[in-house]
Amino acid sequence: MNSPLKRVAVACFVMFALLMANVTYLGAVQADGLRTDPRNQRSFYARYAVDRGWITADNGKVTLAKSVDTGNRKFRFEREYPEGKPFAHVVGFFAPESSSGIEGAEGRYLDGSHPDLVVRRAIDLVSGKPHKGANVDLTLNAKAQKVAYKDLANTGKRGAVVALNPKTGAVLTMVSVPSYDPNPLAVANKDTVNKAYNKLDADKTNKPLLNRAIGLTYAPGSTFKTVTSAAFLMDDQSRDVNTMVNAPDALPLPDTNISLPNYHGESCGGRASLLSAYTISCNTPFADVAMAMGYDKLKEQAEKFGIGTPLSIPLGVTKSDIGPDEGKAALAMTAIGQRSNQMTPLQMAMVAAGIANRGTVMKPYLVNKITGPDGGEIDTTNPEEMSEAVTPEVAAELTTMMINVVRNGTGRAAGLPNTTVAGKTGTAETAPGKPSHAWFISFAPAEDPKVAVAVFVESGSAGNDATGGAIAAPIAHDVMQAVLGQ
Amino acid sequence: MTAKRRGAQLAMLAFAVVVVMCAYASAGLGIDGAVPAGMLTYGLGLGALMLAAYLVLAKWAPWADPLILPLVTLVNGLGLVMIYRIEQTGQGGASATTQLMWTALGVVMFSATLIVLKDHRALQRLTYTAGFAGLALLLLPLLPFIGKEINGARIWVGIGPFSIQPSEFAKIALVVFFAGYLVAKRDVLALAGRRLLFIDLPRARDLGPVLITWAVSLGVLVMQKDLGSSLLLFGAFIAMLYIATQRTSWVLIGALLFIGGAVLAGQVFSHVEARFDGWLNASSQEMYYRDFGSTFQLMQGLFAIGSGGILGTGLGQGYPREIPLSFSDFIFSATGEELGLTGLMALLMVYALIVQRGLRTAFAARDPFSKLLAGGLSFILAWQVFIIVGGVTRLIPLTGLVTPFMSAGGSALLANWMLIALLVRMSDAARKPPPQAIQDEGLTQVMQR
């Protein structure tokens, strides 16, 4: 009977071999597909098994996002955002199936999966402790951020505020209005979160989830005259603020039968100094000098301010663009920040910051430093120069012009006591009959700049007579005041 | 000359108990960061239990294979740890205490079998009694009042607060019957009848027992909705028939009959068809979400194994609760998540070793009945592991069966410990040195009639 027994033994071992081969196929080959199958809830639970790092501001003094140990086995650590709306767009949210803002961009540090944390992970694995992520400290100035949010929300309009440290590029304020409460989006329940998210997403008019500071571009209006002026001054070293430019009441545009007027048809006297044309924000002189210089020079100057450079701060930034070369008439409009000239509020803050920093634009960044769960430093952002937009001399001329705008021109509302403020207003026409966008860019103190701001209020010029100076400049005033600690 | 190897057996038994205790501690650490409070009592309890089994074995079956008991202890212990671990998730129905109690009873059953059954060949005289008992046990759940239907299968008998699954015991009785019957009839069964194509067909009247078993298997399948048991019994019978007669034709005929019967059943009975469809298209949304015969459980089991990957999450750190009945039919998948591919391979290897020791016993046995019984019991163990593990890993269509020694359930544990006792008894007989010739004492007188 031994020979059939042998065959049966072989059959038994073939069965075991088949089982082992199949288990290997499942556990090694198909594992990834099975692990990531949307019907497999484990990746969902795993998100909550990690004691994610905290997100803070002001060197850890203000907590923006924290993990709370619920003691629940399935969803042990839940995310809370104590500061809520003002910080929502920057901090983002940690949802069951996705994450946004810093929660997303620095996710690998926060959940500890970053290669820099591999040693710590190994220690946690061996000691059997729940896995802890690294903490992310942001460059935001919490006080200025809250002031900016409150002021902007009080206008009842949509808009954004960005404040930078001109010397480092650190983002001190980044606010977008309307905002949302991130807490309901971080609940460990897919259905609840999806419902809350879809509700926010369905508001196509206000788009509360959109970070207007970096996510969308708008016509910058007269604030762009700063870039045009920079190009004009850089084009010829002999020019300065007193150089006389043509300032007709209306400028006929080549190859068209229309002419470009000044704001509200005001007169700038036929000829004016660059300083006075900039101060009262005449349109015709800037259109005229741009047409004389040509598209390429304006484009080149714009690029030196970072316009068109892809940016990750580490949140992705929509590219700003002055638009294509479409002839002189179009260039005239581009020079005064109209037509297809489209900028993010962050980009305009970078223009102000570049001038403030003696012509050098610093790369903007949101993350101050990353510390391990034990407080040990893992990474600190070193300020990086992005480009030299203008020479220090030209920066000084531009600063003089901007100071004059706040002292004697359209930007008086931004003035601070005992501090020299430099700024520029902007009112961008959108469509005929529609309210214009209100802009204000500024920096202070002019002698030793510590903060550069861009304020943008969407359709902010209700009634068509308010300029950027009326609605946007006061917000910049408050933000600068908050940063300077006055 | 074989050695007893009792010392090695004791050392390996201690090792198995230590592995299980470590697994228990690891599960506790994984769940709430602390070694479980009851670890010492639990470990000492299991240790004492296995020491008792060892002493019984050393006294009543001293020549038994030294590996079988430690291997079974390891699987049984890991099953206990998994059930403890699943109980901690709050999944209803999992109780480590109950399972430990059944393990103790299993060891009692093991010892009793060894003590009472001094010579397994006594079973040969009970061939037809065993056959009758097996059929009766199989049909018991169909009786009114005591028969119970749980989770769609009518394979339970309720006695007071306990539910007993008689098919687990029937399986041993029927293997004893098959062995006795085939040893008695193997000469006539091996006679060739007509030749069809290249196969020698057996004589028609010898087909009787195959046809009867086939009919009973399918009858069980149909009436009790127990696909697993029918597949198990039928496969065991065919394998034993083959061992007894060496005729491949029986295997082919048996396989064809079963497939034919199953296809027919598939067309007539919706639950058979549902299992088959679920096997083919387990991952499709339609199968996954359908109300009847959903592949939800199967897919959750596969997700568990996939998520475990190569090394697993570690005991106590997976999500066994995601799989319905993870402590029962799907304990293999739950183990896969926490111990990974590595753990599953080790587990399959332990099963393969138990089967190998059983088959070795069959080879070494000195009489045909022992060979057939040991071969049959070993095969049925391997076959059962294949059916349930193959089912939950989607190698073959899923049919419900317990994972031997691991799944929660008293009947299966008792029956399987009994099965092991029989193997141990036979290995003792096979390895015991034959009585010494006494030539040296001078001339032996040869008597001739």
Side-chain angles (χ1 to χ4, degrees):
Chain A
M1 256 189 226
N2 277 359
S3 100
L5 261 178
K6 264 181 205 157
R7 297 220 180 92
V8 168
V10 169
C12 286
F13 294 114
V14 166
M15 291 192 306
F16 278 106
L18 282 173
L19 290 180
M20 288 181 177
N22 192 47
V23 168
T24 308
Y25 175 65
L26 287 177
V29 182
Q30 277 203 317
D32 278 338
L34 291 168
R35 196 179 297 132
T36 53
D37 191 298
R39 293 169 296 186
N40 184 350
Q41 302 284 302
R42 286 174 186 77
S43 51
F44 171 44
Y45 300 148
R47 289 171 78 82
Y48 298 92
V50 177
D51 190 356
R52 273 173 85 83
W54 291 27
I55 302 176
T56 56
D58 291 335
N59 276 314
K61 285 198 275 291
V62 179
T63 304
L64 304 179
K66 62 178 177 180
S67 281
V68 183
D69 191 345
T70 60
N72 178 327
R73 280 218 181 93
K74 266 191 191 168
F75 309 106
R76 178 140 175 216
F77 296 100
E78 279 202 37
R79 212 65 171 147
E80 274 180 21
Y81 303 98
E83 299 289 343
K85 284 185 171 184
F87 296 83
H89 291 102
V90 173
V91 172
F93 54 85
F94 181 70
E97 289 169 295
S98 65
S99 46
S100 73
I102 290 293
E103 287 275 34
E106 296 295 345
R108 300 202 65 193
Y109 274 115
L110 290 166
D111 69 18
S113 64
H114 196 276
D116 289 2
L117 299 164
V118 71
V119 177
R120 175 156 306 285
R121 265 161 69 87
I123 294 171
D124 285 345
L125 192 71
V126 173
S127 65
K129 281 184 197 150
H131 188 47
K132 264 185 118 136
N135 302 314
V136 174
D137 183 55
L138 300 183
T139 54
L140 294 181
N141 177 315
K143 188 176 151 207
Q145 179 88 0
K146 284 187 225 175
V147 165
Y149 178 77
K150 189 169 148 259
D151 281 7
L152 195 53
N154 282 345
T155 63
K157 311 265 179 205
R158 299 183 287 267
V161 176
V162 176
L164 300 171
N165 178 337
K167 287 173 188 163
T168 61
V171 179
L172 303 173
T173 303
M174 182 174 281
V175 161
S176 177
V177 168
S179 188
Y180 59 92
D181 182 358
N183 288 302
L185 298 176
V187 179
N189 181 323
K190 286 184 193 177
D191 289 342
T192 318
V193 168
N194 285 344
K195 237 177 248 165
Y197 183 89
N198 289 338
K199 202 174 153 203
L200 290 169
D201 196 43
D203 187 351
K204 296 295 176 199
T205 333
N206 289 316
K207 291 188 180 164
L209 291 164
L210 174 71
N211 184 350
R212 289 174 162 80
I214 53 173
L216 216 55
T217 55
Y218 308 89
S222 303
T223 55
F224 194 78
K225 288 171 187 165
T226 316
V227 178
T228 308
S229 303
F232 178 69
L233 291 168
M234 288 292 284
D235 194 30
D236 183 345
Q237 295 298 316
S238 66
R239 290 170 182 158
D240 60 21
V241 293
N242 298 316
T243 303
M244 297 302 283
V245 289
N246 288 325
D249 290 351
L251 183 70
L253 297 178
D255 308 322
T256 64
N257 50 11
I258 53 167
S259 52
L260 177 75
N262 286 323
Y263 186 65
H264 271 207
E266 283 163 13
S267 169
C268 288
R271 257 179 100 68
S273 68
L274 181 63
L275 179 68
S276 82
Y278 186 84
T279 306
I280 56 172
S281 205
C282 298
N283 284 338
T284 53
F286 296 96
D288 187 57
V289 300
M291 287 195 290
M293 283 187 296
Y295 175 86
D296 290 344
K297 281 183 182 160
L298 188 64
K299 172 91 175 167
E300 192 190 333
Q301 182 60 57
E303 282 169 358
K304 283 185 181 170
F305 275 108
I307 294 164
T309 308
L311 268 180
S312 161
I313 63 169
L315 310 185
V317 179
T318 302
K319 238 194 244 181
S320 299
D321 187 10
I322 66 162
D325 185 2
E326 293 173 315
K328 293 220 157 178
L331 180 59
M333 303 299 286
T334 303
I336 58 167
Q338 298 287 167
R339 205 177 156 90
S340 41
N341 190 339
Q342 297 278 312
M343 300 290 143
T344 58
L346 172 69
Q347 180 58 58
M348 290 319 292
M350 285 161 67
V351 168
I355 294 164
N357 192 33
R358 296 169 50 81
T360 304
V361 182
M362 301 302 288
K363 187 173 178 293
Y365 63 94
L366 269 166
V367 175
N368 173 32
K369 63 180 174 189
I370 291 168
T371 52
D374 50 5
E377 196 170 299
I378 292 169
D379 194 21
T380 301
T381 309
N382 292 315
E384 250 179 81
E385 282 185 17
M386 206 166 120
S387 58
E388 190 179 289
V390 291
T391 59
E393 294 75 30
V394 169
E397 300 290 320
L398 290 168
T399 305
T400 310
M401 286 156 61
M402 287 173 77
I403 292 171
N404 209 37
V405 169
V406 177
R407 276 203 189 129
N408 311 310
T410 49
R412 286 189 190 91
L416 293 171
N418 308 320
T419 308
T420 325
V421 176
K424 179 73 188 89
T425 54
T427 306
E429 285 166 23
T430 47
K434 271 199 167 178
S436 310
H437 296 329
W439 283 88
F440 190 74
I441 62 172
S442 65
F443 60 88
E447 307 78 24
D448 180 23
K450 292 199 164 56
V451 53
V453 186
V455 177
F456 162 74
V457 184
E458 200 175 315
S459 306
S461 305
N464 239 4
D465 59 296
T467 58
I471 188 162
I475 300 176
H477 166 272
D478 291 357
V479 172
M480 289 187 292
Q481 199 172 43
V483 173
L484 298 174
Q486 292 179 348
Chain B
M1 189 59 52
T2 44
K4 286 185 181 173
R5 308 295 310 269
R6 293 273 72 89
Q9 177 171 24
L10 191 59
M12 279 187 292
L13 200 56
F15 181 62
V17 172
V18 168
V19 168
V20 171
M21 278 179 80
C22 290
Y24 189 57
S26 164
L29 286 168
I31 294 166
D32 43 21
V35 173
M39 183 182 156
L40 210 59
T41 22
Y42 178 91
L44 289 177
L46 187 72
L49 211 53
M50 292 311 156
L51 187 67
Y54 168 80
L55 291 173
V56 168
L57 190 143
K59 172 86 171 68
W60 277 278
W63 291 95
D65 188 294
L67 265 174
I68 296 179
L69 187 62
L71 289 169
V72 172
T73 304
L74 185 58
V75 184
N76 196 149
L78 283 179
L80 278 167
V81 171
M82 281 311 294
I83 289 166
Y84 161 76
R85 187 264 164 284
I86 292 163
E87 186 182 8
Q88 296 299 307
T89 67
Q91 191 171 57
S95 165
T97 322
T98 311
Q99 184 76 351
L100 187 59
M101 187 197 83
W102 283 114
T103 304
L105 283 177
V107 171
V108 168
M109 187 70 106
F110 170 84
S111 309
T113 309
L114 278 185
I115 295 167
V116 172
L117 192 68
K118 297 254 167 39
D119 186 352
H120 60 281
R121 278 169 298 188
L123 292 173
Q124 197 172 358
R125 291 196 293 275
L126 298 172
T127 298
Y128 288 96
T129 316
F132 179 75
L135 280 181
L137 285 167
L138 214 51
L139 297 174
L140 219 47
L142 292 176
L143 293 180
F145 305 117
I146 58 166
K148 280 207 292 189
E149 183 168 326
I150 299 178
N151 295 327
R154 196 180 171 88
I155 52 177
W156 301 86
V157 168
I159 298 171
F162 297 106
S163 288
I164 288 177
Q165 205 180 338
S167 61
E168 288 293 335
F169 298 98
K171 125 187 138 181
I172 296 179
L174 286 173
V175 169
V176 170
F177 164 68
F178 292 159
Y181 177 84
L182 292 171
V183 164
K185 301 278 168 131
R186 68 189 178 118
D187 294 335
V188 277
L189 284 168
L191 283 178
R194 254 177 290 169
R195 208 176 150 80
L196 183 68
L197 294 172
F198 298 101
I199 304 164
D200 291 325
L201 287 178
R203 291 191 308 189
R205 63 176 149 162
D206 302 329
L207 268 172
V210 190
L211 289 173
I212 290 169
T213 318
W214 177 71
V216 170
S217 294
L218 288 181
V220 169
L221 182 157
V222 167
M223 289 182 283
Q224 305 180 339
K225 298 182 184 170
D226 185 359
L227 299 169
S229 293
S230 60
L231 188 57
L232 185 71
L233 284 177
F234 198 76
F237 183 61
I238 295 295
M240 292 177 72
L241 202 53
Y242 174 71
I243 297 171
T245 63
Q246 296 203 46
R247 297 285 294 272
T248 322
S249 53
W250 287 106
V251 179
L252 290 175
I253 292 166
L256 286 176
L257 282 176
F258 189 84
I259 291 169
V263 168
L264 194 69
Q267 277 164 358
V268 179
F269 301 102
S270 54
H271 69 280
V272 179
E273 193 192 3
R275 289 292 176 91
F276 194 76
D277 287 349
W279 175 59
L280 285 180
N281 307 304
S283 183
S284 82
Q285 295 285 355
E286 189 204 334
M287 290 289 165
Y288 186 80
Y289 288 112
R290 71 178 172 178
D291 292 333
F292 178 72
S294 153
T295 57
F296 177 83
Q297 190 185 22
L298 176 61
M299 287 310 293
Q300 288 301 329
L302 294 179
F303 292 153
I305 296 176
S307 304
I310 308 267
L311 291 173
T313 58
L315 284 167
Q317 296 181 55
Y319 299 93
R321 211 184 161 167
E322 292 298 295
I323 320 166
L325 296 180
S326 60
F327 52 86
S328 167
D329 289 8
F330 278 75
I331 199 162
F332 187 81
S333 312
T335 311
E337 181 181 6
E338 304 207 325
L339 295 180
L341 179 53
T342 320
L344 291 185
M345 286 302 218
L347 190 60
L348 286 173
M349 202 52 125
V350 172
Y351 278 123
L353 279 173
I354 298 173
V355 171
Q356 189 259 347
R357 299 318 286 185
L359 287 169
R360 227 182 126 85
T361 300
F363 278 120
R366 296 182 182 122
D367 61 299
F369 175 72
S370 306
K371 277 187 188 297
L372 205 46
L373 186 56
L377 291 175
S378 308
F379 178 82
I380 208 167
L381 198 60
W383 185 229
Q384 183 163 0
V385 172
F386 182 75
I387 292 172
I388 184 60
V389 173
V392 299
T393 57
R394 214 183 143 216
L395 184 63
I396 57 171
L398 178 65
T399 55
L401 270 184
V402 299
T403 315
F405 299 108
M406 282 198 88
S407 297
S411 315
L413 260 186
L414 292 189
N416 284 322
W417 272 106
M418 216 159 113
L419 185 154
I420 290 301
L422 288 178
L423 280 180
V424 163
R425 167 53 68 223
M426 283 186 283
S427 78
D428 176 61
R431 285 160 52 92
K432 195 189 295 178
Q436 291 291 311
I438 42 173
Q439 293 278 347
D440 298 348
E441 291 179 5
L443 283 170
T444 307
Q445 202 176 356
V446 179
M447 288 184 48
Q448 275 184 322
R449 256 178 237 177

